[in-house]
Amino acid sequence: MGPRLRAAREHRGATLTGVCRATGISPSTLSRMETGRRKPTLEVVLQLAKEYGVSLDELAGTAPAPAAGPRTSAPLSFGDDKAVLPLTRYVGGLHAHKHVLPTVEEPPARPRQISHDGYEWLCVLYGRLWLALGDQDLVLAAGDVAEFDTRTPHGVANAGPGGPVEYLIMFGPQGERLRPRTLPATGPRVRQPN
């Protein structure tokens, strides 16, 4: 159940700290449950299902597969005006989100970095995205891709005036990675911040 708990939290775009504040569960307890080192009680699972807006069946992995066909999802909004549109509805395994960062008037401060278990693939669709990855600062433009182990501290921001930024994220909470079927181009393609 641990990977499903983590995936449900990340699917909502919630941090471990935020969920712990909302539920009263200690961060160490929730972290151990997400990594499978501790089994949650029914009371805790009910509380987390309510917080994440999912059913017990989804957290237990017994929910039927979603029906094929078109679906719509309302974007999730966060205090920093970022909008996140979940593109996958299942819990666990690889999942994808579309993120939109609003236009900024002035160049931002260096993005706040976080780290957690998993592996991430990020693709910029529109605008210029500032990716702070460890001690590196990268500015990615439309069509640029980055992939990294999310245990490396990382954070993103709109790289400056000029419009919003749209990007896709595919995330493997257990370190699942994408498997390219073609050989990568030789040499990295990185844009440095201006």
Side-chain angles (χ1 to χ4, degrees):
M1 182 176 286
R4 286 188 296 276
L5 289 173
R6 177 178 299 161
R9 175 177 58 78
E10 290 167 348
H11 188 73
R12 294 270 307 174
T15 64
L16 197 69
T17 304
V19 170
C20 291
R21 278 191 201 129
T23 62
I25 299 168
S26 79
S28 61
T29 298
L30 184 55
S31 177
R32 286 194 307 270
M33 286 187 293
E34 287 186 354
T35 58
R37 295 188 319 244
R38 181 174 180 161
K39 293 183 186 219
T41 64
L42 179 58
E43 179 183 346
V44 168
V45 174
L46 285 168
Q47 194 173 13
L48 291 172
K50 182 177 179 183
E51 179 66 23
Y52 300 149
V54 298
S55 70
L56 285 177
D57 284 336
E58 287 176 273
L59 288 182
T62 59
R71 66 178 187 265
T72 59
S73 265
L76 305 172
S77 292
F78 297 90
D80 58 3
D81 294 328
K82 173 171 68 171
V84 178
L85 179 66
L87 301 176
T88 49
R89 296 181 63 181
Y90 51 84
V91 176
L94 284 172
H95 53 276
H97 296 94
K98 179 180 178 183
H99 293 238
V100 180
L101 297 175
T103 302
V104 294
E105 299 300 321
E106 298 178 15
R110 190 166 197 262
R112 181 180 66 84
Q113 294 181 308
I114 60 168
S115 61
H116 49 87
D117 288 337
Y119 198 83
E120 186 167 299
W121 178 85
L122 179 151
C123 177
V124 178
L125 301 173
Y126 179 82
R128 295 174 61 235
L129 181 72
W130 181 355
L131 172 62
L133 186 60
D135 58 0
Q136 298 180 61
D137 288 296
L138 309 170
V139 174
L140 306 173
D144 287 341
V145 173
E147 61 178 301
F148 52 92
D149 185 318
T150 55
R151 291 175 294 187
T152 303
H154 58 284
V156 297
N158 189 328
V165 179
E166 295 184 17
Y167 58 101
L168 294 176
I169 286 182
M170 289 192 63
F171 176 71
Q174 299 299 311
E176 300 93 339
R177 297 174 95 168
L178 299 176
R179 294 182 298 276
R181 297 295 182 186
T182 59
L183 296 176
T186 57
R189 187 175 135 203
V190 174
R191 286 193 172 96
Q192 297 299 325
N194 296 335

